[in-house]
Amino acid sequence: MNPRRKKRLTLAVALIVGVAGAASLLLYALNSNLNLFYTPNEIIHGKNDTGIKPEIGQRIRVGGMVTLGSMVRDPDSLHVEFAVHDSTGTEVIVTYDDLLPDLFREGQGIVAQGVLVDSGKLEATEVLAKHDENYMPPEVAEAMGKQHKKLEYKEGDVKPAQY
């Protein structure tokens, strides 16, 4: 092999190795910042198609309905804890240390983004409430299924305050 071809081959191999290294670093960075959507049932039992459960410490989004009577507020701080359920009735506890959206209330669809700190507990960094009674985020609506009906209160249930 003459020196000119050897130099071209070395340059081509170096270029391929450099592009592969840059691509692998990019994929690693994107993978660590990925926020996957889960329902409470998928957090506890795994995804329906793959059976994969989120790992403790993983950053995820959970969507569902806030369970009636599950909200507990700390009177001395902004800390709030509530349960989110889906159509299967599986619940996940969400803790949040900031102001909740104005439209947030029990019995309403929400999406919470945060870190999974236990198999059934999410420490949220952001909580999003649905816009009005007709809108539900597409991921939440699909996860809740077509069986989801508007919440009906029975006699003796405490209704959330209307603002």
Side-chain angles (χ1 to χ4, degrees):
M1 184 180 290
N2 67 20
R4 187 173 183 176
R5 280 192 178 170
K6 191 173 185 179
K7 190 175 185 180
R8 282 185 187 169
L9 181 62
T10 305
L11 184 61
V13 168
L15 183 64
I16 290 171
V17 168
V19 168
S24 64
L25 287 175
L26 180 67
L27 288 175
Y28 177 75
L30 289 176
N31 192 25
S32 64
N33 290 328
L34 193 61
N35 291 327
L36 298 175
F37 178 81
Y38 289 90
T39 63
N41 187 49
E42 291 172 339
I43 291 174
I44 303 298
H45 303 293
K47 291 268 189 188
N48 295 336
D49 52 350
T50 61
I52 296 174
K53 292 182 184 180
E55 298 173 5
I56 306 280
Q58 183 177 350
R59 187 166 183 74
I60 62 170
R61 288 185 296 157
V62 62
M65 304 292 282
V66 178
T67 305
L68 289 173
S70 68
M71 190 160 43
V72 178
R73 291 182 183 266
D74 183 0
D76 299 329
S77 69
L78 294 176
H79 183 80
V80 66
E81 186 172 295
F82 55 91
V84 175
H85 70 276
D86 59 9
S87 60
T88 65
T90 307
E91 288 186 346
V92 171
I93 303 298
V94 177
T95 61
Y96 188 58
D97 288 322
D98 205 351
L99 290 173
L100 289 168
D102 289 339
L103 297 174
F104 180 91
R105 64 183 180 273
E106 294 178 340
Q108 172 185 341
I110 62 120
V111 174
Q113 180 175 312
V115 177
L116 193 64
V117 293
D118 195 9
S119 63
K121 192 169 187 176
L122 180 84
E123 191 173 294
T125 56
E126 183 177 22
V127 173
L128 305 171
K130 68 180 185 174
H131 184 264
D132 64 12
E133 66 184 52
N134 299 322
Y135 176 77
M136 184 176 288
E139 295 167 324
V140 174
E142 183 180 317
M144 292 299 290
K146 295 181 180 173
Q147 300 88 3
H148 174 69
K149 297 176 185 166
K150 189 170 182 175
L151 184 65
E152 295 179 19
Y153 293 97
K154 297 177 187 167
E155 195 172 318
D157 285 346
V158 177
K159 294 182 182 179
Q162 299 294 324
Y163 296 99

